[in-house]
Amino acid sequence: MHLSETKQKVVRNLFWAVTGKVVTLLGSLLVGIFVARYLGPEQYGLMNYVVSFVALFQVFASFGLDNIEIREESKCKGTGEKGRVPGAEANTILGTAFGLRLFFAGITMLLVILTAWLFEADTFTKWMITLYSLSMIMSTFGVIRNYFTSIVWNEYIVKTEISRTIIGALIKVALLLLHAPLAWFIAATLFDTVLIAGGYLLSYRKQIASPRLWTFDLPTAKYLIKESFPLMVSLSAVFIYQRVDQIMVAKMLDNTELGYYSVAVRFTEVLFFIPTIMAQTIVPILTRLYKDNFEAYRLKTQQFVNVTVWLCVLMAAFVALIAPWLIKYTFGAAYLPATLTLQILAFKTVAHSLSATAGNMIIIEGKQQWGWIRSVSACLVCVGMNYLFIPRWGVEGTAVASILTYLYAGTLSNIFIPPYWFVLKAQIKSLLIGWKDLVRIKQLFK
């Protein structure tokens, strides 16, 4: 195709990113269908409650370091070449980030366990939350994934994630055949995190270098904490409004209704791969372009927002149209009450794409210090709307509240934050005329 080396790298990275995300999401969805059919709406709802409860605290375990790690590692010179050991600067960032995440994960795990045993009435639920909280320790190896993302080299982490998906799926299928109880499925979900952590570590040792070269540096730690703290505050609110709806459905309705809602969420999460893949591929390039050519950077970021948003619009409309058949022939007739919820929730993808692209722009330009304002206020909006909507409209009300929360957090809240008006302008332009970039999508990668 006579592509330059840079373009070849972008195309190769996009291929692996898309392949990995599609395989992982579809594999998880397929296994989730079998598990949901086996467990039934009530137990499937309880399983999702346990995962959501732990996820509420996950941001404290990572301390919002992910995007800061990627940004700082993208600036390091002489990294990413096959067989070449990262420089001292990159090793310092990796070692320091890993040490910080391990410390925060341990503290957060204890907080999760304490909260569960103080406020949960059901003993079985307490033990399941305690068991699944171990996933926070495994999440510390996400520093390796961040490094591969920063050097635009997704091939090896994608192979790891595909392997995890296949092995995890085989384990869950075996549990189905053995007619295992719910606790074993939660344990298998925890084991998925062990598989992915081990895979990341193996990929790094084989393709980059030994983690023993990582070094912890106190000044670097202080810098990373300072830079990531606004993001941690912001992301903690984000994690709350992403997961609190499932917690509130379980508490205000019941686990069966949560089972229906979780089915709709499953399909919505598949749609989320569009902004995720676009960001993984384009953001490291935009980060470098921001330093070298600001005018070209602005043009590319607008194209990035346009293409991402309108791809999500098309996918959301398609899923809403086929929702009844999608649920009936996957999760089964027992989950058909989730149809309207899915039709509504599909359009959450559009609001999510506006929020995700805006977040990437803010981080690239180093303006994340105001992000907590919109995230914290969005958290309050989410809880308030759920309290109003759930008693009136049930899980459909939760779906509406979720969309409005994302729309507020990622777009409307920018009205009240002058440093983010440039983001609001890009979003409005995208909604009005951004569809035009769909027909010239290759311009984004030039």
Side-chain angles (χ1 to χ4, degrees), residues 67 70-75 150 279 282-293 297 301 360 363-365:
N67 288 315
I70 294 172
R71 187 191 72 186
E72 295 302 315
E73 288 163 359
S74 296
K75 298 176 182 177
S150 73
I282 301 300
V283 167
I285 297 170
L286 292 177
T287 300
R288 297 185 181 98
L289 199 60
Y290 175 68
K291 296 187 297 181
D292 301 331
N293 189 334
Y297 160 78
T301 50
N360 285 307
I363 291 169
I364 290 172
E365 300 192 21

Side-chain angles (χ1 to χ4, degrees), residues 45 73 89-90 144 150 198 222 227 234 240 255 257 259 269 290 299 324-325 340 429 435:
E73 288 163 359
E89 185 181 1
I144 295 175
S150 73
K222 292 178 180 179
E227 289 293 300
S234 177
I240 290 173
N255 285 330
E257 291 296 316
E269 288 175 345
Y290 175 68
L299 176 63
W325 301 277
L340 180 57
K429 186 175 181 180
W435 58 269

Side-chain angles (χ1 to χ4, degrees), residues 127-411:
W127 279 111
M128 291 302 97
I129 291 173
T130 300
L131 174 66
Y132 191 69
S133 67
L134 290 168
S135 62
M136 291 186 170
I137 301 299
M138 296 299 104
S139 70
T140 57
F141 289 92
V143 297
I144 295 175
R145 192 188 205 291
N146 292 337
Y147 179 74
F148 277 102
T149 299
S150 73
I151 61 177
V152 198
W153 201 11
N154 277 344
E155 177 179 351
Y156 300 101
I157 56 173
V158 167
K159 289 179 179 178
T160 294
E161 291 166 357
I162 290 175
S163 300
R164 181 279 308 268
T165 300
I166 294 173
I167 296 172
L170 292 175
I171 291 173
K172 292 182 179 70
V173 169
L175 292 177
L176 289 171
L177 296 175
L178 293 171
H179 302 287
L182 173 61
W184 283 97
F185 288 95
I186 295 175
T189 305
L190 168 65
F191 188 64
D192 285 345
T193 66
V194 177
L195 288 173
I196 199 68
Y200 286 159
L201 185 59
L202 182 63
S203 295
Y204 187 85
R205 288 179 63 90
K206 184 177 180 180
Q207 300 299 331
I208 306 295
S210 171
R212 293 181 180 180
L213 297 174
W214 296 353
T215 57
F216 185 89
D217 178 67
L218 187 57
T220 302
K222 292 178 180 179
Y223 173 76
L224 291 178
I225 291 174
K226 178 184 175 182
E227 289 293 300
S228 64
F229 182 75
L231 277 178
M232 190 275 293
V233 175
S234 177
L235 287 173
S236 62
V238 170
F239 268 71
I240 290 173
Y241 71 66
Q242 283 179 340
R243 293 288 185 171
V244 75
D245 52 355
Q246 298 188 48
I247 303 295
M248 293 179 72
V249 167
K251 294 298 184 183
M252 299 178 69
L253 299 175
D254 53 47
N255 285 330
T256 300
E257 291 296 316
L258 178 56
Y260 297 143
Y261 186 73
S262 298
V263 165
V265 171
R266 274 282 185 177
F267 287 113
T268 306
E269 288 175 345
V270 174
L271 296 178
F272 280 6
F273 89 94
I274 297 175
T276 301
I277 291 302
M278 293 294 291
Q280 284 181 342
T281 303
I282 301 300
V283 167
I285 297 170
L286 292 177
T287 300
R288 297 185 181 98
L289 199 60
Y290 175 68
K291 296 187 297 181
D292 301 331
N293 189 334
F294 186 76
E295 184 177 348
Y297 160 78
R298 276 283 191 244
L299 176 63
K300 292 296 181 187
T301 50
Q302 185 65 62
Q303 293 173 339
F304 168 53
V305 177
N306 293 349
V307 171
T308 304
V309 168
W310 280 93
L311 283 176
C312 288
V313 170
L314 294 178
M315 288 298 296
F318 177 70
V319 169
L321 184 65
I322 66 170
W325 301 277
L326 195 59
I327 291 177
K328 181 179 180 180
Y329 295 111
T330 54
F331 285 88
Y335 289 92
L336 276 175
T339 299
L340 180 57
T341 305
L342 175 57
Q343 290 174 323
I344 297 170
L345 209 56
F347 289 92
K348 178 180 176 180
T349 312
V350 180
H352 172 71
S353 65
L354 287 166
S355 178
T357 51
N360 285 307
M361 293 168 65
I362 289 167
I363 291 169
I364 290 172
E365 300 192 21
K367 297 180 178 179
Q368 65 271 11
Q369 61 266 37
W370 294 284
W372 67 271
I373 299 174
R374 62 181 197 162
S375 298
V376 171
S377 58
C379 184
L380 298 175
V381 168
C382 177
V383 173
M385 285 194 296
N386 273 290
Y387 267 117
L388 291 174
F389 294 173
I390 290 177
R392 295 184 180 183
W393 302 303
V395 289
E396 288 81 13
T398 304
V400 173
S402 185
I403 293 174
L404 294 177
T405 299
Y406 269 74
L407 188 62
Y408 170 82
T411 305

